[in-house]
């Protein structure tokens, strides 16, 4: 059984294709392409941590796509997940729908994980940086005390920035990233790493 990480799938979000230069012609092609990349990487018995922002658009159509993804899936909710408690009092009403869609566990804000002896934080948000020009959701971000952080939210801004590692699909060519790849980056020390390119989509 392998362990994988991902974030920011944004199923159903047409505008993300242009915002993050995803190589798809439309949202249906993007949804199918993300599922194909995931399932060609993750085996049915693997474990996957999804660090937020799973589905947007018509949520009744996009959230159930999670069931098509291989693996035992854990969600650390992000700002675009309707179950995220930062979205107010109605967030709790959505939790069961995210479980029904295929998540085994749902967490909020910041958690601690062990990657083969490495202790790391995991959160949807980075210490600093954003996919927008302004820093948002400041009160929900982890405080930088020198620990390594796995996160999403920044899309194609970086793959690694210092001790922050972006596990989002826009950093890793549309696929989940393995625990082993993350350990290799951690062992290499703080650095700046650009996103990997997306494979071309066959027309």
């Amino acid at each position: 059984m392998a362990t994988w990480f991902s974030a920011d799938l944004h199923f159903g979000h047409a505008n993300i294709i242009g915002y993050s230069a995803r190589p798809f012609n439309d949202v249906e092609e993007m949804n199918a392409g993300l599922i194909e990349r995931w399932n060609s990487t993750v085996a049915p018995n693997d474990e996957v941590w999804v660090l937020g922002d799973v589905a947007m658009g018509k949520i009744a159509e996009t959230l159930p796509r999670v069931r098509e993804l291989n693996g035992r899936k854990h969600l650390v909710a992000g700002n675009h997940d309707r179950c995220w408690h930062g979205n107010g009092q109605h967030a709790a009403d959505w939790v069961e729908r995210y479980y029904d869609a295929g998540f085994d566990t749902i967490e909020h804000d910041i958690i601690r994980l062990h990657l083969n002896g490495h202790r790391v934080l995991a959160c949807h948000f980075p210490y600093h940086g954003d996919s927008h020009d302004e820093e948002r959701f400041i009160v929900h971000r982890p405080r930088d005390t020198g620990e390594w952080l796995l996160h999403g939210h920044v899309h194609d801004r970086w793959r690694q920035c210092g001790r922050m590692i972006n596990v989002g699909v826009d950093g890793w060519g549309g696929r989940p990233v393995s625990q082993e790849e993350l350990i290799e980056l951690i062992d290499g020390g703080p650095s700046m790493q650009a996103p990997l390119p997306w494979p071309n989509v066959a027309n």
Side-chain angles (χ1 to χ4, degrees), residues 144-163:
D144 187 356
T145 59
E147 296 178 276
W148 284 86
L149 172 65
L150 310 181
H151 66 88
H153 191 64
V154 298
H155 290 277
D156 53 346
R157 293 288 174 100
W158 64 73
R159 183 163 47 106
Q160 180 181 351
C161 178
R163 286 172 285 97

Side-chain angles (χ1 to χ4, degrees), residues 59 79 81-98 108:
I59 200 73
N79 56 290
D81 296 311
R82 299 190 186 193
C83 65
W84 179 52
H85 62 197
N87 284 326
Q89 61 180 352
H90 296 295
D93 300 336
W94 283 88
V95 171
E96 279 305 315
R97 290 185 66 173
Y98 278 74
H108 298 273

Side-chain angles (χ1 to χ4, degrees), residues 10-170:
H10 281 236
F11 284 139
H13 186 196
N15 287 339
I16 200 66
I17 296 171
Y19 289 158
S20 294
R22 296 186 178 185
F24 303 104
N25 295 312
D26 53 45
V27 71
E28 289 79 14
E29 187 179 84
M30 179 184 73
N31 292 345
L34 289 169
I35 293 167
E36 188 279 327
R37 283 167 172 76
W38 179 298
N39 289 341
S40 66
T41 303
V42 177
N45 293 326
D46 288 349
E47 190 167 49
V48 189
W49 287 91
V50 182
L51 304 188
D53 287 9
V54 177
M56 296 177 65
K58 296 179 180 177
I59 200 73
E61 298 174 6
T62 58
L63 185 57
R65 304 303 298 263
V66 172
R67 283 238 170 253
E68 301 175 48
L69 301 171
N70 284 346
R72 183 170 185 263
K73 297 173 286 292
H74 308 280
L75 176 65
V76 179
N79 56 290
H80 285 299
D81 296 311
R82 299 190 186 193
C83 65
W84 179 52
H85 62 197
N87 284 326
Q89 61 180 352
H90 296 295
D93 300 336
W94 283 88
V95 171
E96 279 305 315
R97 290 185 66 173
Y98 278 74
Y99 281 125
D100 290 344
F103 286 104
D104 291 277
T105 63
I106 298 172
E107 306 282 351
H108 298 273
D109 290 334
I110 306 153
I111 63 170
R112 290 185 179 275
L113 297 172
H114 291 266
L115 306 186
N116 234 9
H118 294 279
R119 293 179 62 190
V120 301
L121 300 179
C123 180
H124 176 66
F125 303 105
Y127 291 132
H128 58 81
D130 207 288
S131 59
H132 288 55
D133 291 333
E134 74 278 5
E135 301 260 325
R136 301 170 297 156
F137 308 105
I138 302 299
V139 298
H140 297 285
R141 293 174 184 255
R143 183 167 161 264
D144 187 356
T145 59
E147 296 178 276
W148 284 86
L149 172 65
L150 310 181
H151 66 88
H153 191 64
V154 298
H155 290 277
D156 53 346
R157 293 288 174 100
W158 64 73
R159 183 163 47 106
Q160 180 181 351
C161 178
R163 286 172 285 97
M164 301 184 297
I165 302 176
N166 171 26
V167 301
V169 294
D170 297 297

